[in-house]
Amino acid sequence: MNDVTSQESGFEKVFRNSKDGLALFKEGVFFDCNQSMLDLVGIENEEDFFGLTPFDLSPEYQLDGRTSLEKGTEKIEQCLREGSVRFEWLHKRFNGDLFWCEVIITKLMLNGEEVIHCNWRDISEKKNLALELAQQKETFETLFNESMDGLSVFDGQKYIDCNKAFVRMFGFNSKEEVIGLHPKDISPEFQADGRPSKDAAKEIIFDSLHKGGVRFEWVHSKKDGTEFWTEVIVTKVTLQGADLIYAVIRDISEKKELELQIKERNLELKESNVVLENMIESLQQAQEKLVESEKMASLGSLVAGVAHEINTPIGVGLVGISQLMDESAAIRKRYELGQLTETDFEDFLNNSNELSGIVNKNLERTAQLVKGFKQIAVDQTSEDERQIDLKAYIEEVVFSLGSLTRKSNVQVAVDCPDRVQVVTNPGLLSQVLTNMIVNSINHGFVDHTSGNIVISVNECGDKTFNLRYKDDGKGISAENLPKIFDPFFTTNRGKGGTGLGLNVTYNIITNALGGSIKCYSKLGEGVEFDMRIKVKQHIK
């Protein structure tokens, strides 16, 4: 009797002091519990616990979707049949918080009555970790299986897993067709660089296992033998203590096709560039020749003008010399015949003196013209800088073109301060003025019986001058005005125009003379060029 009492006392002590939540229930309701159970479910007094059912401390549904009442009743019936049942259960505290328990229910006989002993152990932390791991596993499996890239796992000898994209990519019907294959089995005999696929695959497998990861491009072959380009990333992973190779395969056939097209296109462009460079070089040579022709044409205008100017003094000189020679012959004849009188001799001397003066004056004029022509001609073919009187030099250039201006009945006025001494390249200035005047005559006054040109010069800085050129010719249309400085643009090509005159002028002004040029014109209102030029030195 004492042993029974002692056992009951020991059971009572274990029941009351256990760290697990312990309780007894019969006929479906609790009638006893320990303090750990009260703490576990968040109830202060055992009176509030007594009379509750296990389902009062459970949510309506368990994690698998079944109701707690349905599933719990099954567990109780199983316990009554088998004597004891262990399972995991989602419980609910008195305040409504959910927590996971490992539950052991055992059938007992107490005071002649059949009761059920409950043992609840809180496993929320363990269960939540397991659920989190399960969720991560599910996430990884979803990512693995649903990825658009072909994913596979290789153990160094054969494929042991792959996803759906891998199966589709290589034209297989199921994963089972892939398992057991080697990478060489889904590759052509040789790669694009000529290496055997078998040898190249061994090298890559070795590198991935020893270096941890490799990225490369690879030619694969589908089940039907079709070859295609892929980008492959292989990474060493360790699963369950074994080193495996995780491979990501992406089809880059379109990319490689584009690369090939780009490469071919680049070769075509390179060939085209060579042709274009040769054409540009030829055009540059042609342009240089045309520019030189334009300069020579300008020089030709100068030659024609000076030739016309020297015709008059040379003609007068020739007449005077001829007359002097005739009179000399006549006076000699009289002398030889003894008929020379003092009056005849005096007349001869007077006439000789007058004719000599006329010849000398006209020869001096010719010499001046030739000297001026020579200087301007040298200037137009030379790049040397020298000191000039700005006004005098402009007048010389205008005078040298006198035959052209008189023939077209064009008056040229020069408005420039006297004694402006500068150091510059006079040939460039001569080229500009010659081009301007010839352009006015050939274009501006082509349908006019007369015309006027005004060239004005003003100082606007120590070494900068404003050169304005204006004519009252037919002007330039608004459509053509923006194009007049373009090379080869001309409205007179049918009559020999090259379209380089104003382009040469523009380049001389903006480059060689370091200035600027603008053109203002309207049809019927003539043209005006506003130019800024710089000189090397302004001597004051």
Side-chain angles (χ1 to χ4, degrees):
M1 184 68 179
N2 290 333
D3 290 340
V4 174
T5 303
S6 176
Q7 287 179 0
E8 291 178 353
S9 175
F11 174 79
E12 180 72 18
K13 188 175 181 180
V14 171
F15 184 84
R16 299 300 171 190
N17 295 329
S18 175
K19 296 297 184 181
D20 291 333
L22 304 179
L24 297 172
F25 73 91
K26 64 180 179 180
E27 297 178 358
V29 297
F30 292 110
F31 66 90
D32 198 0
C33 70
N34 67 358
Q35 185 61 44
S36 295
M37 178 61 81
L38 295 177
D39 294 339
L40 187 60
V41 298
I43 296 177
E44 293 185 3
N45 302 312
E46 59 183 15
E47 289 80 8
D48 295 331
F49 182 79
F50 298 161
L52 296 176
T53 71
F55 310 115
D56 293 327
L57 298 172
S58 302
E60 184 177 358
Y61 294 96
Q62 289 297 301
L63 194 62
D64 60 2
R66 297 179 65 188
T67 65
S68 294
L69 178 60
E70 177 189 0
K71 189 171 182 178
T73 300
E74 285 184 2
K75 296 297 183 184
I76 293 171
E77 291 176 351
Q78 183 182 358
C79 174
L80 293 175
R81 290 194 309 270
E82 300 175 3
S84 183
V85 182
R86 181 195 296 267
F87 56 92
E88 291 180 353
W89 192 262
L90 185 61
H91 276 295
K92 179 178 70 174
R93 290 190 172 91
F94 200 64
N95 64 1
D97 292 342
L98 301 179
F99 66 101
W100 279 95
C101 280
E102 182 183 59
V103 178
I104 302 174
I105 55 175
T106 305
K107 182 175 69 173
L108 297 176
M109 294 300 294
L110 185 63
N111 297 326
E113 293 183 304
E114 190 176 71
V115 299
I116 293 180
H117 175 265
C118 300
N119 186 326
W120 294 2
R121 179 171 292 178
D122 190 343
I123 59 168
S124 297
E125 185 175 347
K126 171 187 173 184
K127 187 66 176 179
N128 288 335
L129 180 59
L131 288 173
E132 184 177 347
L133 290 174
Q135 186 175 10
Q136 289 178 354
K137 181 182 178 183
E138 182 182 359
T139 300
F140 173 77
E141 289 178 349
T142 300
L143 291 174
F144 182 84
N145 289 315
E146 300 302 326
S147 172
M148 299 301 293
D149 291 326
L151 307 180
S152 63
V153 181
F154 179 70
D155 66 1
Q157 300 296 325
K158 61 185 179 303
Y159 287 112
I160 60 174
D161 198 4
C162 69
N163 68 350
K164 293 183 287 186
F166 188 99
V167 173
R168 290 194 302 269
M169 185 181 294
F170 287 90
F172 293 108
N173 297 317
S174 66
K175 181 190 296 188
E176 286 69 28
E177 293 183 73
V178 178
I179 305 304
L181 295 178
H182 189 277
K184 67 180 178 59
D185 297 327
I186 51 174
S187 302
E189 184 177 359
F190 296 97
Q191 287 298 300
D193 59 2
R195 290 187 302 165
S197 295
K198 182 179 179 180
D199 296 341
K202 286 182 180 179
E203 183 179 332
I204 291 169
I205 292 169
F206 178 84
D207 287 344
S208 61
L209 288 174
H210 290 81
K211 296 180 181 179
V214 182
R215 179 194 293 264
F216 56 94
E217 291 183 352
W218 188 264
V219 179
H220 274 110
S221 59
K222 298 184 179 183
K223 181 180 178 180
D224 62 5
T226 303
E227 297 181 4
F228 65 105
W229 275 96
T230 61
E231 180 183 58
V232 183
I233 302 173
V234 293
T235 307
K236 185 180 75 172
V237 296
T238 301
L239 295 177
Q240 298 177 351
D243 289 340
L244 303 173
I245 296 176
Y246 175 70
V248 180
I249 303 176
R250 178 170 295 175
D251 188 337
I252 58 169
S253 300
E254 292 185 3
K255 173 188 170 185
K256 295 298 288 186
E257 181 66 25
L258 287 174
E259 287 179 359
L260 181 61
Q261 292 178 8
I262 290 171
K263 186 176 180 180
E264 292 175 350
R265 183 58 178 158
N266 285 339
L267 289 174
E268 292 175 1
L269 289 174
K270 188 175 181 180
E271 294 175 357
S272 298
N273 285 339
V274 171
V275 174
L276 287 173
E277 287 172 0
N278 292 334
M279 290 178 63
I280 290 171
E281 185 178 354
S282 299
L283 286 173
Q284 287 175 340
Q285 292 175 356
Q287 184 174 1
E288 289 172 1
K289 291 180 180 179
L290 286 171
V291 169
E292 189 64 29
S293 298
E294 189 71 21
K295 290 182 178 180
M296 297 310 295
S298 175
L299 189 60
S301 298
L302 176 65
V303 171
V306 172
H308 184 273
E309 291 298 325
I310 66 176
N311 274 340
T312 299
I314 288 178
V316 173
L318 285 173
V319 171
I321 288 294
S322 298
Q323 186 176 348
L324 182 59
M325 290 175 66
D326 291 342
E327 291 191 5
S328 294
I331 202 70
R332 176 180 289 278
K333 186 176 182 180
R334 285 176 177 274
Y335 173 74
E336 290 176 350
L337 296 174
Q339 298 175 353
L340 181 63
T341 65
E342 183 177 351
T343 301
D344 292 336
F345 185 69
E346 288 178 354
D347 289 340
F348 172 74
L349 291 176
N350 290 332
N351 290 337
S352 297
N353 186 57
E354 183 180 353
L355 289 171
S356 297
I358 292 172
V359 170
N360 183 66
K361 183 177 180 180
N362 280 275
L363 287 177
E364 285 179 350
R365 176 60 179 158
T366 301
Q368 289 177 353
L369 289 170
V370 171
K371 182 180 179 181
F373 160 70
K374 181 180 179 182
Q375 185 60 66
I376 293 174
V378 169
D379 286 341
Q380 287 201 3
T381 57
S382 171
E383 297 181 358
D384 295 336
E385 294 178 334
R386 66 182 179 89
Q387 180 178 336
I388 60 170
D389 181 294
L390 198 54
K391 181 177 182 180
Y393 190 80
I394 293 173
E395 288 177 340
E396 283 184 16
V397 174
V398 172
F399 180 78
S400 70
L401 298 171
S403 64
L404 294 177
T405 56
R406 283 193 295 273
K407 183 179 179 181
S408 300
N409 197 21
V410 173
Q411 302 297 319
V412 182
V414 178
D415 180 13
C416 177
D418 295 328
R419 294 181 296 279
V420 177
Q421 298 291 319
V422 298
V423 175
T424 187
N425 185 326
L428 298 178
L429 183 59
S430 172
Q431 181 78 49
V432 168
L433 293 174
T434 300
N435 285 351
M436 292 285 189
I437 293 171
V438 171
N439 203 61
S440 292
I441 292 172
N442 290 339
H443 297 278
F445 302 126
V446 67
D447 295 323
H448 290 56
T449 57
S450 63
N452 294 284
I453 296 173
V454 178
I455 301 171
S456 60
V457 179
N458 294 294
E459 184 179 350
C460 55
D462 184 40
K463 297 180 182 180
T464 305
F465 291 85
N466 177 234
L467 177 63
R468 285 182 177 272
Y469 178 95
K470 187 175 183 179
D471 72 29
D472 58 358
K474 67 178 183 180
I476 303 171
S477 69
E479 178 186 359
N480 291 334
L481 190 59
K483 298 182 284 188
I484 61 171
F485 296 121
D486 293 347
F488 308 111
F489 174 76
T490 179
T491 58
N492 199 26
R493 192 174 305 279
K495 298 180 180 179
T498 64
L500 286 174
L502 286 180
N503 178 254
V504 170
T505 299
Y506 178 87
N507 288 326
I508 291 174
I509 294 293
T510 58
N511 296 323
L513 296 179
S516 62
I517 180 171
K518 294 180 181 178
C519 179
Y520 306 94
S521 182
K522 290 182 179 179
L523 277 177
E525 297 183 12
V527 67
E528 179 177 353
F529 291 92
D530 185 3
M531 295 167 277
R532 294 288 180 97
I533 61 172
K534 292 182 180 180
V535 297
K536 184 175 182 181
Q537 186 178 358
H538 183 189
I539 302 172
K540 299 182 179 180

